[in-house]
Amino acid sequence: MAITLVNPAGLPEIDVYRQVSIATGSKLVHIAGQVAWDADGVTVGEGDLAAQVEQCYLNIGTALAGVGGSFDDVAKLNVHVVDWTPDKMPLLLEGIARAAAKLGVTPAPPATLLGVAALDVPEHLVEIEATAVLD
């Protein structure tokens, strides 16, 4: 595995992710923002943030598998949530937990969470992009 996740002393420890990722691999992989589409381009979980977060994570896992990687290779995530408010955090975490169970990992790379006004289509509530490093 080319990624080591750490929480350096002096930074707060956050349960759901690590503050820093150290990449030692040689292949940098940028994954386009993933929305809650299934393989046929149909929106999964319309109106359900947790279901859409889960699908985004699963799509990232599929993209990584397609290039010989896994979620363990993710160095950084950017999460964009429509009309973000802190009361949506439990739904975000629920979706991550459900995806983690299906992926067989605890996805905890550094992440940036941004509230946005809208995404590509009105049905999409979240978009997640990833950067990974492979050996």
Side-chain angles (χ1 to χ4, degrees), residues 30-123:
H30 297 276
I31 299 171
Q34 295 298 302
V35 293
W37 277 330
D38 65 13
D40 296 319
V42 175
T43 298
V44 172
E46 191 169 334
D48 182 342
L49 180 60
Q52 290 198 15
V53 168
E54 177 183 4
Q55 186 64 42
C56 292
Y57 272 73
L58 295 176
N59 288 350
I60 290 168
T62 299
L64 287 164
V67 296
S70 73
F71 222 101
D72 287 330
D73 299 308
V74 174
K76 176 78 168 72
L77 295 170
N78 289 320
V79 180
H80 304 85
V81 180
V82 174
D83 296 326
W84 174 259
T85 56
D87 64 312
K88 293 182 180 180
M89 185 61 82
L91 294 171
L92 181 75
L93 296 176
E94 177 186 335
I96 293 169
R98 291 184 345 205
K102 289 182 179 176
L103 293 166
V105 299
T106 302
T112 298
L113 174 61
L114 300 167
V116 297
L119 293 171
D120 58 335
V121 296
E123 295 82 22

Side-chain angles (χ1 to χ4, degrees), residues 8-50:
L11 294 177
E13 289 192 31
I14 299 171
D15 290 341
V16 296
Y17 72 94
R18 303 299 172 258
Q19 295 279 9
V20 176
S21 66
I22 302 166
T24 57
S26 60
K27 187 187 301 185
L28 189 60
V29 179
H30 297 276
I31 299 171
Q34 295 298 302
V35 293
W37 277 330
D38 65 13
D40 296 319
V42 175
T43 298
V44 172
E46 191 169 334
D48 182 342
L49 180 60

